[in-house]
PDB file of all heavy atoms in Angstrom:
ATOM      1  N   GLU A1109     -40.300  53.022 -42.266  1.00  0.00           N
ATOM      2  CA  GLU A1109     -39.251  53.527 -41.450  1.00  0.00           C
ATOM      3  C   GLU A1109     -38.279  52.387 -41.009  1.00  0.00           C
ATOM      4  O   GLU A1109     -37.161  52.652 -40.581  1.00  0.00           O
ATOM      5  CB  GLU A1109     -39.874  54.159 -40.137  1.00  0.00           C
ATOM      6  CG  GLU A1109     -40.793  53.249 -39.409  1.00  0.00           C
ATOM      7  CD  GLU A1109     -42.197  53.295 -39.877  1.00  0.00           C
ATOM      8  OE1 GLU A1109     -42.512  53.783 -40.983  1.00  0.00           O
ATOM      9  OE2 GLU A1109     -43.075  52.722 -39.130  1.00  0.00           O
ATOM     10  N   ILE A1110     -38.696  51.165 -41.208  1.00  0.00           N
ATOM     11  CA  ILE A1110     -37.797  50.027 -40.971  1.00  0.00           C
ATOM     12  C   ILE A1110     -36.672  50.017 -41.960  1.00  0.00           C
ATOM     13  O   ILE A1110     -35.499  49.636 -41.657  1.00  0.00           O
ATOM     14  CB  ILE A1110     -38.523  48.667 -41.059  1.00  0.00           C
ATOM     15  CG1 ILE A1110     -39.760  48.640 -40.055  1.00  0.00           C
ATOM     16  CG2 ILE A1110     -37.631  47.504 -40.829  1.00  0.00           C
ATOM     17  CD1 ILE A1110     -40.664  47.486 -40.332  1.00  0.00           C
ATOM     18  N   PHE A1111     -36.975  50.416 -43.155  1.00  0.00           N
ATOM     19  CA  PHE A1111     -36.047  50.350 -44.316  1.00  0.00           C
ATOM     20  C   PHE A1111     -35.005  51.491 -44.212  1.00  0.00           C
ATOM     21  O   PHE A1111     -35.144  52.516 -44.886  1.00  0.00           O
ATOM     22  CB  PHE A1111     -36.831  50.385 -45.620  1.00  0.00           C
ATOM     23  CG  PHE A1111     -36.032  49.964 -46.844  1.00  0.00           C
ATOM     24  CD1 PHE A1111     -35.945  48.626 -47.217  1.00  0.00           C
ATOM     25  CD2 PHE A1111     -35.346  50.916 -47.605  1.00  0.00           C
ATOM     26  CE1 PHE A1111     -35.209  48.265 -48.350  1.00  0.00           C
ATOM     27  CE2 PHE A1111     -34.616  50.547 -48.685  1.00  0.00           C
ATOM     28  CZ  PHE A1111     -34.578  49.212 -49.095  1.00  0.00           C
ATOM     29  N   ASP A1112     -34.031  51.296 -43.354  1.00  0.00           N
ATOM     30  CA  ASP A1112     -33.072  52.350 -43.132  1.00  0.00           C
ATOM     31  C   ASP A1112     -31.825  52.152 -44.043  1.00  0.00           C
ATOM     32  O   ASP A1112     -31.905  51.332 -45.006  1.00  0.00           O
ATOM     33  CB  ASP A1112     -32.621  52.494 -41.655  1.00  0.00           C
ATOM     34  CG  ASP A1112     -31.991  51.182 -41.162  1.00  0.00           C
ATOM     35  OD1 ASP A1112     -31.492  50.394 -42.022  1.00  0.00           O
ATOM     36  OD2 ASP A1112     -32.001  50.929 -39.946  1.00  0.00           O
ATOM     37  N   ASP A1113     -30.748  52.893 -43.776  1.00  0.00           N
ATOM     38  CA  ASP A1113     -29.577  52.854 -44.634  1.00  0.00           C
ATOM     39  C   ASP A1113     -28.910  51.490 -44.715  1.00  0.00           C
ATOM     40  O   ASP A1113     -28.016  51.258 -45.582  1.00  0.00           O
ATOM     41  CB  ASP A1113     -28.579  53.878 -44.263  1.00  0.00           C
ATOM     42  CG  ASP A1113     -29.082  55.342 -44.405  1.00  0.00           C
ATOM     43  OD1 ASP A1113     -29.995  55.461 -45.183  1.00  0.00           O
ATOM     44  OD2 ASP A1113     -28.464  56.256 -43.832  1.00  0.00           O
ATOM     45  N   GLN A1114     -29.295  50.602 -43.793  1.00  0.00           N
ATOM     46  CA  GLN A1114     -28.683  49.211 -43.783  1.00  0.00           C
ATOM     47  C   GLN A1114     -29.275  48.368 -44.914  1.00  0.00           C
ATOM     48  O   GLN A1114     -28.779  47.317 -45.252  1.00  0.00           O
ATOM     49  CB  GLN A1114     -28.854  48.552 -42.453  1.00  0.00           C
ATOM     50  CG  GLN A1114     -28.032  49.231 -41.320  1.00  0.00           C
ATOM     51  CD  GLN A1114     -26.600  49.123 -41.633  1.00  0.00           C
ATOM     52  OE1 GLN A1114     -26.051  48.132 -41.935  1.00  0.00           O
ATOM     53  NE2 GLN A1114     -25.910  50.307 -41.462  1.00  0.00           N
ATOM     54  N   PHE A1115     -30.445  48.753 -45.436  1.00  0.00           N
ATOM     55  CA  PHE A1115     -31.191  47.979 -46.393  1.00  0.00           C
ATOM     56  C   PHE A1115     -31.003  48.679 -47.768  1.00  0.00           C
ATOM     57  O   PHE A1115     -31.007  49.855 -47.956  1.00  0.00           O
ATOM     58  CB  PHE A1115     -32.681  47.906 -46.047  1.00  0.00           C
ATOM     59  CG  PHE A1115     -33.040  47.163 -44.836  1.00  0.00           C
ATOM     60  CD1 PHE A1115     -33.006  47.735 -43.577  1.00  0.00           C
ATOM     61  CD2 PHE A1115     -33.360  45.797 -44.930  1.00  0.00           C
ATOM     62  CE1 PHE A1115     -33.307  47.038 -42.455  1.00  0.00           C
ATOM     63  CE2 PHE A1115     -33.623  45.079 -43.756  1.00  0.00           C
ATOM     64  CZ  PHE A1115     -33.686  45.649 -42.546  1.00  0.00           C
ATOM     65  N   SER A1116     -30.970  47.785 -48.817  1.00  0.00           N
ATOM     66  CA  SER A1116     -31.066  48.300 -50.159  1.00  0.00           C
ATOM     67  C   SER A1116     -31.726  47.193 -51.064  1.00  0.00           C
ATOM     68  O   SER A1116     -31.706  46.037 -50.706  1.00  0.00           O
ATOM     69  CB  SER A1116     -29.612  48.657 -50.738  1.00  0.00           C
ATOM     70  OG  SER A1116     -28.798  47.479 -50.731  1.00  0.00           O
ATOM     71  N   VAL A1117     -32.314  47.665 -52.179  1.00  0.00           N
ATOM     72  CA  VAL A1117     -32.915  46.723 -53.081  1.00  0.00           C
ATOM     73  C   VAL A1117     -32.346  47.011 -54.471  1.00  0.00           C
ATOM     74  O   VAL A1117     -31.908  48.131 -54.781  1.00  0.00           O
ATOM     75  CB  VAL A1117     -34.419  46.822 -53.117  1.00  0.00           C
ATOM     76  CG1 VAL A1117     -35.069  46.236 -51.865  1.00  0.00           C
ATOM     77  CG2 VAL A1117     -34.853  48.263 -53.354  1.00  0.00           C
ATOM     78  N   GLU A1118     -32.364  46.002 -55.315  1.00  0.00           N
ATOM     79  CA  GLU A1118     -31.857  46.051 -56.669  1.00  0.00           C
ATOM     80  C   GLU A1118     -32.513  45.110 -57.535  1.00  0.00           C
ATOM     81  O   GLU A1118     -32.949  44.030 -57.100  1.00  0.00           O
ATOM     82  CB  GLU A1118     -30.342  45.739 -56.539  1.00  0.00           C
ATOM     83  CG  GLU A1118     -29.540  46.115 -57.723  1.00  0.00           C
ATOM     84  CD  GLU A1118     -28.068  45.841 -57.646  1.00  0.00           C
ATOM     85  OE1 GLU A1118     -27.718  44.870 -56.888  1.00  0.00           O
ATOM     86  OE2 GLU A1118     -27.261  46.565 -58.219  1.00  0.00           O
ATOM     87  N   ARG A1119     -32.660  45.490 -58.781  1.00  0.00           N
ATOM     88  CA  ARG A1119     -33.067  44.590 -59.792  1.00  0.00           C
ATOM     89  C   ARG A1119     -31.942  44.481 -60.798  1.00  0.00           C
ATOM     90  O   ARG A1119     -31.933  45.189 -61.796  1.00  0.00           O
ATOM     91  CB  ARG A1119     -34.367  45.118 -60.450  1.00  0.00           C
ATOM     92  CG  ARG A1119     -35.087  44.181 -61.408  1.00  0.00           C
ATOM     93  CD  ARG A1119     -36.567  44.467 -61.501  1.00  0.00           C
ATOM     94  NE  ARG A1119     -37.156  43.842 -62.695  1.00  0.00           N
ATOM     95  CZ  ARG A1119     -37.505  42.552 -62.735  1.00  0.00           C
ATOM     96  NH1 ARG A1119     -37.319  41.758 -61.763  1.00  0.00           N
ATOM     97  NH2 ARG A1119     -38.074  42.100 -63.852  1.00  0.00           N
ATOM     98  N   PRO A1120     -30.987  43.601 -60.509  1.00  0.00           N
ATOM     99  CA  PRO A1120     -29.717  43.623 -61.270  1.00  0.00           C
ATOM    100  C   PRO A1120     -29.872  43.149 -62.693  1.00  0.00           C
ATOM    101  O   PRO A1120     -29.015  43.492 -63.568  1.00  0.00           O
ATOM    102  CB  PRO A1120     -28.858  42.638 -60.489  1.00  0.00           C
ATOM    103  CG  PRO A1120     -29.810  41.725 -59.774  1.00  0.00           C
ATOM    104  CD  PRO A1120     -30.991  42.572 -59.441  1.00  0.00           C
ATOM    105  N   ASP A1121     -30.935  42.411 -63.007  1.00  0.00           N
ATOM    106  CA  ASP A1121     -31.148  41.952 -64.389  1.00  0.00           C
ATOM    107  C   ASP A1121     -32.653  41.896 -64.638  1.00  0.00           C
ATOM    108  O   ASP A1121     -33.418  42.412 -63.811  1.00  0.00           O
ATOM    109  CB  ASP A1121     -30.462  40.586 -64.653  1.00  0.00           C
ATOM    110  CG  ASP A1121     -30.888  39.572 -63.541  1.00  0.00           C
ATOM    111  OD1 ASP A1121     -32.054  39.530 -63.192  1.00  0.00           O
ATOM    112  OD2 ASP A1121     -30.010  38.848 -63.068  1.00  0.00           O
ATOM    113  N   GLY A1122     -33.037  41.292 -65.701  1.00  0.00           N
ATOM    114  CA  GLY A1122     -34.446  41.250 -65.987  1.00  0.00           C
ATOM    115  C   GLY A1122     -35.322  40.366 -65.216  1.00  0.00           C
ATOM    116  O   GLY A1122     -36.559  40.365 -65.234  1.00  0.00           O
ATOM    117  N   SER A1123     -34.657  39.564 -64.322  1.00  0.00           N
ATOM    118  CA  SER A1123     -35.473  38.543 -63.639  1.00  0.00           C
ATOM    119  C   SER A1123     -35.388  38.604 -62.144  1.00  0.00           C
ATOM    120  O   SER A1123     -36.321  38.297 -61.431  1.00  0.00           O
ATOM    121  CB  SER A1123     -35.124  37.170 -64.079  1.00  0.00           C
ATOM    122  OG  SER A1123     -33.756  36.854 -63.887  1.00  0.00           O
ATOM    123  N   ASN A1124     -34.247  38.979 -61.566  1.00  0.00           N
ATOM    124  CA  ASN A1124     -34.049  38.926 -60.135  1.00  0.00           C
ATOM    125  C   ASN A1124     -34.414  40.222 -59.424  1.00  0.00           C
ATOM    126  O   ASN A1124     -34.273  41.368 -60.028  1.00  0.00           O
ATOM    127  CB  ASN A1124     -32.566  38.567 -59.810  1.00  0.00           C
ATOM    128  CG  ASN A1124     -32.277  37.186 -60.172  1.00  0.00           C
ATOM    129  OD1 ASN A1124     -32.671  36.264 -59.406  1.00  0.00           O
ATOM    130  ND2 ASN A1124     -31.603  36.961 -61.245  1.00  0.00           N
TER     131      ASN A1124
END
Side-chain angles (χ1 to χ4, degrees):
Chain A
E1109 57 272 13
I1110 302 168
F1111 194 87
D1112 61 22
D1113 292 343
Q1114 294 298 313
F1115 292 88
S1116 62
V1117 289
E1118 194 177 32
R1119 189 154 161 82
D1121 52 42
S1123 59
N1124 290 283

